[in-house]
Amino acid sequence: MKDRIARRAVLKAGIGLGAAGIFGARAPARAQARTKPLRLGVLTDMSGPYSNIGGPGSVEAVRMAVEDFGGRVRDLPIEVVTGDHQNKPDTGAGIARRWIDLEGVDAILDVPTSSVALAVQHVTREKGIATIFGTAAIESLTSEECSPTGIQYVYDTYSIANVTAKAAIANGGDTWFFVTADYGVGHAMEKMVGDVVTASGGKIRGAVRAPLGTADFSSFLLQAQASKAKIVAFANAGNDTVTSIKQAQEFGLVSGGQRLVGLLMFLSDIDALGLEAAQGSLFTTSFYWDADEEGRAWSTRYFARMKRMPNDVQAGLYSAVTHYLKAVQAAGANGIDAVRWMKDNEVSDFYARPGRIGQNGRMYKDMYLVEAKKPSESRKPWDYLKIVATSPASQSFRPEADSKCKLRA
């Protein structure tokens, strides 16, 4: 009898502590509240092909969000740590495990390179750690590989393919040729855009696969030129996008009447290319710094720190971290409870007006089709883009009801 009473007492105490949350917000008086800092880990590419997309710029955007939040949450200091995964899935997963198991990191952020993102999500799903993807594009993060603690905040392969392809086709771009990065996200973008093109009555004239880090695209571009396709689409990213588009201009594709489309392109790419080479390029983005006064105000503050304007990844990470810190403050916990709060509460800021996070972890917000200006159209530094069209969230992303994620409502 005494043993049964003792077991009930232990069970009751365990339930009470389990419901308390990591910050002890609902703990019994005898439970010890957390005292260690909330630690945010920015896991990114610090010096490789995607370092201008995420990299140091992502780290600075996260630090800005922490500072603007006051540097503390539930009276605990907030710390930002950084890691370079070198675009290697085993390295990224290893850093994530070390951070969680040994260094007390509470949330992991950014994670360029889709193969690394999928490996990290496997770890954080197992550990119950919040993970907010800024740079990773592959849609499976919020589809068949979704996680109850994972959020894909900025874009995905479906949205960038869907918005860009439909707009280009509507403007007469009914024949396409692909220069595709020979890895998962490149293949995914080519397939998604190809499906949109063929469903709209267009034709695919051909495709070539280029390894990551290709320095000479000449053979691929000659095939694109010979195809006489109206649209030459670059299903790559980072330094590969910059190199391939610059060489396409040199080979005379644009002067010969073909139009260049970047399927995963960023403001930082336009800066690296220069408007002379980038002019006329179409791509989809979730944010442009000069679109309105509120965005300009935040971007000017970012520029003062980085000496460059933010792209949509960096603006999105600032928004996402702010929303996450509000969740921690409200929920009194930093794992799945915080992520649930994020899904239950709308985002309304300079980045998303409004935005909502689905049960599958996908952020739904308006997207923008943009075109790189001619040099003569640019009136000031970083005046690189013009917004051609706004695509509502409902038309940009795959409907949540069609997601393969088993977490959806």
Side-chain angles (χ1 to χ4, degrees), residues 316-344:
L317 278 173
Y318 177 95
S319 173
V321 171
T322 301
H323 194 52
Y324 169 75
L325 293 176
K326 289 178 181 178
V328 173
Q329 183 71 35
N334 64 352
I336 193 169
D337 288 342
V339 172
R340 284 174 180 153
W341 189 96
M342 294 175 75
K343 293 177 179 179
D344 289 343

Side-chain angles (χ1 to χ4, degrees), residues 94-175:
I95 293 172
R97 285 192 183 278
R98 187 187 77 237
W99 275 357
I100 297 166
D101 293 342
L102 302 177
E103 299 181 24
V105 166
D106 298 290
I108 295 179
L109 313 167
D110 197 20
V111 202
T113 310
S114 292
S115 59
V116 180
L118 289 167
V120 169
Q121 177 135 294
H122 179 79
V123 174
T124 55
R125 184 194 298 117
E126 171 194 328
K127 301 287 186 179
I129 294 293
T131 315
I132 301 173
F133 298 100
T135 310
I138 198 159
E139 189 194 8
S140 57
L141 286 167
T142 55
S143 184
E144 61 268 27
E145 296 293 335
C146 67
S147 164
T149 58
I151 293 173
Q152 194 173 25
Y153 205 84
V154 178
Y155 50 72
D156 60 21
T157 44
Y158 182 92
S159 62
I160 55 182
N162 188 40
V163 175
T164 307
K166 286 181 177 178
I169 292 166
N171 284 281
D174 55 0
T175 55

Side-chain angles (χ1 to χ4, degrees), residues 363-398:
M363 159 66 108
Y364 294 92
K365 69 175 296 294
D366 293 351
M367 301 290 280
Y368 308 100
L369 180 75
V370 295
E371 180 180 352
K373 291 182 174 182
K374 298 176 182 177
S376 60
E377 295 174 320
S378 180
R379 300 288 182 250
K380 58 187 175 182
W382 291 88
D383 179 21
Y384 294 157
L385 305 176
K386 51 188 173 186
I387 295 177
V388 177
T390 298
S391 177
S394 60
Q395 297 176 25
S396 301
F397 296 93
R398 189 184 302 278

Side-chain angles (χ1 to χ4, degrees), residues 138-139 157 161 180-181 183-194:
I138 198 159
E139 189 194 8
T157 44
T180 301
Y183 54 85
V185 72
H187 301 168
M189 287 191 292
E190 180 189 319
K191 183 182 185 310
M192 287 183 179
V193 172

Side-chain angles (χ1 to χ4, degrees), residues 44-293:
T44 190
D45 176 0
M46 293 297 285
S47 58
Y50 308 124
S51 57
N52 277 342
I53 300 172
S58 289
V59 174
E60 201 60 37
V62 171
R63 286 177 175 152
M64 284 180 68
V66 170
E67 290 173 18
D68 289 351
F69 201 78
R72 302 181 72 84
V73 62
R74 297 188 73 87
D75 205 33
L76 297 175
I78 306 167
E79 294 182 355
V80 177
V81 300
T82 64
D84 186 351
H85 59 49
Q86 301 172 37
N87 300 299
K88 299 175 182 176
D90 55 343
T91 300
I95 293 172
R97 285 192 183 278
R98 187 187 77 237
W99 275 357
I100 297 166
D101 293 342
L102 302 177
E103 299 181 24
V105 166
D106 298 290
I108 295 179
L109 313 167
D110 197 20
V111 202
T113 310
S114 292
S115 59
V116 180
L118 289 167
V120 169
Q121 177 135 294
H122 179 79
V123 174
T124 55
R125 184 194 298 117
E126 171 194 328
K127 301 287 186 179
I129 294 293
T131 315
I132 301 173
F133 298 100
T135 310
I138 198 159
E139 189 194 8
S140 57
L141 286 167
T142 55
S143 184
E144 61 268 27
E145 296 293 335
C146 67
S147 164
T149 58
I151 293 173
Q152 194 173 25
Y153 205 84
V154 178
Y155 50 72
D156 60 21
T157 44
Y158 182 92
S159 62
I160 55 182
N162 188 40
V163 175
T164 307
K166 286 181 177 178
I169 292 166
N171 284 281
D174 55 0
T175 55
W176 289 61
F177 187 96
F178 292 92
V179 178
T180 301
D182 196 11
Y183 54 85
V185 72
H187 301 168
M189 287 191 292
E190 180 189 319
K191 183 182 185 310
M192 287 183 179
V193 172
D195 289 347
V196 174
V197 171
T198 54
S200 303
K203 294 182 179 180
I204 308 300
R205 291 276 179 89
V208 289
R209 301 285 171 83
L212 177 65
T214 294
D216 183 1
F217 283 85
S218 57
S219 65
F220 307 122
L221 294 171
L222 287 171
Q223 292 177 68
Q225 195 171 43
S227 75
K228 300 189 183 302
K230 294 177 183 177
I231 302 293
V232 178
F234 295 91
N236 52 16
N239 293 347
D240 287 349
T241 299
V242 172
T243 302
S244 56
I245 289 180
K246 187 174 291 186
Q247 291 179 9
Q249 290 281 14
E250 293 168 356
F251 272 81
L253 271 69
V254 174
S255 60
Q258 293 176 297
R259 189 161 200 181
L260 309 183
V261 168
L263 297 183
L264 190 53
M265 204 166 179
F266 303 87
L267 180 71
S268 44
D269 296 329
I270 303 300
D271 183 62
L273 280 163
L275 288 181
E276 189 64 41
Q279 60 183 306
S281 298
L282 282 175
F283 64 100
T284 298
T285 185
S286 63
F287 172 82
Y288 179 49
W289 75 270
D290 203 23
D292 57 52
E293 190 55 44

